[in-house]
Amino acid sequence: LQKTSSCCSGTAPRNGNDAYIDFKVRIDKSEIHFEEDDSGKVDFKNLELLENVVAGQLLAVKVPAEEGIPGRTVTNRVLPAKTGKDTAIKHGKGTILSEDGIELTAEINGQVVYKLGRLTVEPVFVVNGDVSLETGNIVFLGSVIIQGSVQDSFEVKAAGNVEVKGTVQKAFIEAEGDIIIHQGISGKDAARVESTGGSVFAKFCQNSNVVAEKNVVIPEGILHSHVDAGEKLYSIGRRARIAGGVIRAGDEVNTRFLGAEGATGTVIRVGVNPKILQQMDELNNIKEEVESELTTLRLDIKTLTTQKRNAGKLPPEREKMLADITAREEKLSERFDEVNTELEELNSYMGMLEHKGKICAEKVAYPGVEIYIKDKDFKIRDEYKHVKFSLEGDEIHISDYDPPDFVEGSQRITTLVRRR
């Protein structure tokens, strides 16, 4: 017969569970999960191989070992139980372990790296080859170094600097710091390289868009591109040429050859921060759109009002239409006035700017180049050698070439990208 009385049976001891680490970040990146969009397409570029964290973010928690629960024999003798084994959170630079060893947090913004059981936060992320389907797009809270190139249609975004040892193709790069591209930008009319807080350095630039809050330094020339520099733009290598496209800088454009034989259309504008010009372009576009819609609405209002006057009244649906488009016309009229006011304020601000700007060509400035300095313009119709264009009073003045004053770091980086 089976014994059911508790007084005649013992209790087995239960050993405590071992301590373990509960990671709050992904430590196994061997499995890549592709996500489909609504149409069933998989975006292979967004592989999310990087995991970014911010300072103070919880990375791991140690769950302590458990005490064992003793058992008893049928004669009431205690059966000891083992306590679970302890463990510790292994951590490295860029992390902070709490005094009790229970919680690990990030000390800095950056990329979480898990190697040999140890967590670190790295402020620099290194791509050992190209940014391609193997890596996916890169988004990083520190600086990024790319040992290869950035291939077509891929993106790199960094809170620090971006350095590309190869080329940038038809891709998008954005950084809060400096962007350095050793082998240049060949953008196929679709590349965009933008530094929102620093400068851009590249060997050459062709069929691309480049924007820098500070300076742009491109030793071997800029061809058929749109380039904006908040301060200075230098293209001063032995073969340097600016030809085709639109170049804008707040203070100075300095190059070896400006334009090209055959009167290649080139626009150079200095004396106004390109951001202000961009704002004005956007406001003028809005103004044109609003003005066009207002013209249409006012014609419709005139037509419906005439019909109402002739007939004495309108059908309900047309009466509602008249009320709706009248309200829309009033709203757009207010917007039109706001845009005009903003444009007037920007024009007034431009007039108060102290820096006048200059455009310099060490060797030749060719016909076909259009020059704008603040609100004055000059179209080059003859060939000028060793020349500087600047503003004196209300006129553009032509004088001898003025060599560039190198911005900080540009001489070293120019030499570096030339050598490669």
Side-chain angles (χ1 to χ4, degrees), residues 76-252:
N76 211 30
R77 183 170 60 85
V78 175
L79 296 174
K82 293 181 180 179
T83 298
K85 294 179 181 178
D86 195 17
T87 191
I89 300 177
K90 294 181 180 179
H91 67 104
K93 60 185 179 181
T95 64
I96 299 174
L97 186 63
S98 61
E99 289 186 8
D100 58 8
I102 297 296
E103 292 186 348
L104 184 69
T105 55
E107 185 178 19
I108 57 174
N109 294 347
Q111 175 210 6
V112 174
V113 177
Y114 182 75
K115 288 183 180 178
L116 302 175
R118 188 181 304 274
L119 275 179
T120 61
V121 178
E122 300 285 353
V124 177
F125 174 67
V126 178
V127 179
N128 288 319
D130 293 345
V131 174
S132 62
L133 285 173
E134 291 185 9
T135 63
N137 294 329
I138 306 294
V139 180
F140 187 52
L141 290 174
S143 294
V144 176
I145 297 174
I146 299 161
Q147 301 290 358
S149 299
V150 183
Q151 294 186 4
D152 287 355
S153 303
F154 285 90
E155 297 181 0
V156 178
K157 296 181 181 180
N161 302 326
V162 172
E163 184 172 5
V164 181
K165 300 295 180 69
T167 61
V168 170
Q169 299 173 19
K170 189 175 68 176
F172 175 72
I173 297 182
E174 182 182 279
E176 293 179 22
D178 294 337
I179 299 174
I180 304 168
I181 303 165
H182 292 263
Q183 295 299 324
I185 311 164
S186 183
K188 304 173 186 175
D189 294 322
R192 182 173 177 85
V193 175
E194 180 172 1
S195 169
T196 59
S199 299
V200 174
F201 304 86
K203 188 173 186 179
F204 68 88
C205 176
Q206 186 170 352
N207 301 100
S208 303
N209 295 283
V210 176
V211 179
E213 177 70 18
K214 294 182 180 177
N215 305 292
V216 174
V217 179
I218 301 179
E220 292 193 5
I222 303 168
L223 301 177
H224 306 290
S225 296
H226 192 133
V227 182
D228 284 352
E231 296 174 7
K232 299 175 181 180
L233 184 147
Y234 291 156
S235 183
I236 35 64
R238 279 183 300 133
R239 295 176 292 175
R241 178 186 302 276
I242 296 176
V246 179
I247 308 298
R248 306 188 296 190
D251 297 319
E252 176 183 358

Side-chain angles (χ1 to χ4, degrees), residues 219-414:
E220 292 193 5
I222 303 168
L223 301 177
H224 306 290
S225 296
H226 192 133
V227 182
D228 284 352
E231 296 174 7
K232 299 175 181 180
L233 184 147
Y234 291 156
S235 183
I236 35 64
R238 279 183 300 133
R239 295 176 292 175
R241 178 186 302 276
I242 296 176
V246 179
I247 308 298
R248 306 188 296 190
D251 297 319
E252 176 183 358
V253 170
N254 205 313
T255 186
R256 194 166 174 84
F257 294 93
L258 183 58
E261 294 178 355
T264 301
T266 308
V267 176
I268 311 290
R269 186 159 194 168
V270 297
V272 182
N273 190 303
K275 278 189 174 180
I276 297 174
L277 296 175
Q278 188 65 37
Q279 282 181 275
M280 294 186 75
D281 288 345
E282 290 170 0
L283 286 170
N284 279 316
N285 288 337
I286 293 171
K287 182 179 176 179
E288 287 180 12
E289 291 173 6
V290 170
E291 203 166 18
S292 176
E293 189 175 348
L294 277 173
T295 301
T296 303
L297 288 172
R298 285 165 181 165
L299 282 172
D300 290 342
I301 290 170
K302 185 177 180 181
T303 301
L304 290 169
T305 303
T306 301
Q307 290 176 359
K308 184 175 181 179
R309 185 172 60 249
N310 293 340
K313 64 176 183 177
L314 291 171
E317 67 275 6
R318 285 187 170 270
E319 193 67 58
K320 183 178 184 306
M321 182 187 298
L322 178 58
D324 289 345
I325 62 177
T326 300
R328 175 68 177 164
E329 192 273 342
E330 290 175 359
K331 186 175 180 181
L332 281 179
S333 293
E334 290 178 7
R335 179 60 179 143
F336 186 78
D337 292 340
E338 289 172 1
V339 171
N340 268 334
T341 301
E342 290 180 53
L343 281 169
E344 288 171 7
E345 289 173 352
L346 285 174
N347 277 314
S348 176
Y349 175 71
M350 283 173 60
M352 294 187 300
L353 293 174
E354 292 184 6
H355 61 256
K356 295 180 180 179
K358 60 182 178 179
I359 299 166
C360 305
E362 183 186 1
K363 289 295 183 181
V364 183
Y366 290 96
V369 177
E370 294 180 48
I371 285 173
Y372 295 84
I373 303 178
K374 290 188 73 173
D375 58 345
K376 305 302 176 185
D377 65 279
F378 175 74
K379 186 166 185 177
I380 299 178
R381 302 187 187 280
D382 300 303
E383 195 173 289
Y384 292 89
K385 294 181 179 179
H386 204 69
V387 67
K388 176 180 79 171
F389 301 92
S390 58
L391 196 64
E392 289 191 7
D394 288 333
E395 294 185 356
I396 291 178
H397 179 70
I398 301 171
S399 58
D400 286 340
Y401 174 75
D402 195 358
D405 295 323
F406 272 90
V407 294
E408 183 180 355
S410 66
Q411 189 99 45
R412 177 182 60 81
I413 295 173
T414 297

Side-chain angles (χ1 to χ4, degrees), residues 8-35:
C8 298
S9 63
T11 305
R14 194 177 75 190
N15 295 331
N17 291 325
D18 295 340
Y20 66 94
I21 309 302
D22 179 16
F23 291 100
K24 303 300 183 182
V25 292
R26 286 183 293 117
I27 59 172
D28 182 8
K29 297 184 174 67
S30 59
E31 291 187 13
I32 299 173
H33 301 283
F34 297 107
E35 293 187 4

